[in-house]
Amino acid sequence: MTYAVIYASATGNTKMLAEEIRKRLGKKECVCFGTVEEAGTAVRADIIFAGFWTDKGDCSEELGHFLEGLHGRRVFLFGTAGFGGAQSYFDQILERVKGHLAADNEVVGTYMCQGKMPQSVRKRYEGMMEQNPGDQRIKGMIENFDRAVQHPDEADLNMLGEAVRDVL
């Protein structure tokens, strides 16, 4: 079985997941590994692992365009999201990302986990808190940021490995 791993990664979180997939599957059968820009649109593999970072509840624009160009392919979607950690939130994102795929593609698996965010995000949240002291929503955003700093962690990588193994 040949495979390709194509990803978009703004902060390195999704790239970490992409590297884990290649590590677990081995380099021998990997026909393409890299970003959307490196891969182009003519990726030929038995299965395409397509990775994304979450941008406003969806995949990034470049990965969306890549997915829209696929036809008749077996696709495994994987991604990271800085906000949240609830599976229901991840499922909503995955449904939006699936919407970029034409109906003749087959989604053979999915995986999402939380990912760390740039420190500038925390600074923005802190500024919001200064403007609105005691705001519980903003306090929750800061707490989420602090939890996300550790992700993707070893447990996330192991769960990704299990999800990949399940589709093979």
Side-chain angles (χ1 to χ4, degrees):
M1 176 201 77
T2 60
Y3 73 94
V5 181
I6 310 303
Y7 62 91
S9 184
T11 60
N13 297 324
T14 306
K15 182 179 182 184
M16 182 186 298
L17 298 182
E19 289 170 341
E20 184 69 16
I21 291 170
R22 183 170 62 172
K23 177 180 139 188
R24 290 186 181 243
L25 295 180
K27 292 182 182 178
K28 185 177 178 187
E29 292 83 15
C30 185
V31 297
C32 186
F33 179 89
T35 64
V36 173
E37 295 81 12
E38 295 167 331
T41 57
V43 176
R44 293 287 168 222
D46 295 325
I47 185 169
I48 297 174
F49 292 87
F52 61 91
W53 59 281
T54 301
D55 184 19
K56 300 175 196 84
D58 200 346
C59 63
S60 61
E61 187 175 334
E62 68 266 23
L63 194 83
H65 289 309
F66 173 77
L67 294 174
E68 289 161 8
L70 296 178
H71 292 280
R73 311 311 296 276
R74 297 178 69 221
V75 181
F76 181 104
L77 298 171
F78 67 97
T80 58
F83 190 79
Q87 190 59 48
S88 60
Y89 176 63
F90 293 156
D91 290 343
Q92 291 173 1
I93 295 167
L94 286 164
E95 284 305 310
R96 283 187 205 100
V97 174
K98 287 177 187 177
H100 292 278
L101 289 165
D104 64 342
N105 291 295
E106 177 188 4
V107 177
V108 297
T110 62
Y111 178 77
M112 277 198 75
C113 69
Q114 194 166 23
K116 61 187 152 296
M117 297 172 273
Q119 195 62 36
S120 60
V121 172
R122 192 175 202 292
K123 289 187 187 319
R124 183 166 41 94
Y125 293 166
E126 289 168 351
M128 291 165 62
M129 186 60 101
E130 286 177 18
Q131 301 258 334
N132 301 293
D135 185 312
Q136 292 303 305
R137 185 181 66 82
I138 298 169
K139 182 180 177 196
M141 293 164 67
I142 292 171
E143 289 170 355
N144 176 74
F145 177 94
D146 292 342
R147 281 190 305 275
V149 168
Q150 304 302 318
H151 293 275
D153 62 14
E154 197 63 36
D156 296 325
L157 297 177
N158 286 332
M159 287 188 287
L160 170 63
E162 290 173 19
V164 168
R165 186 187 69 231
D166 288 348
V167 302
L168 304 178

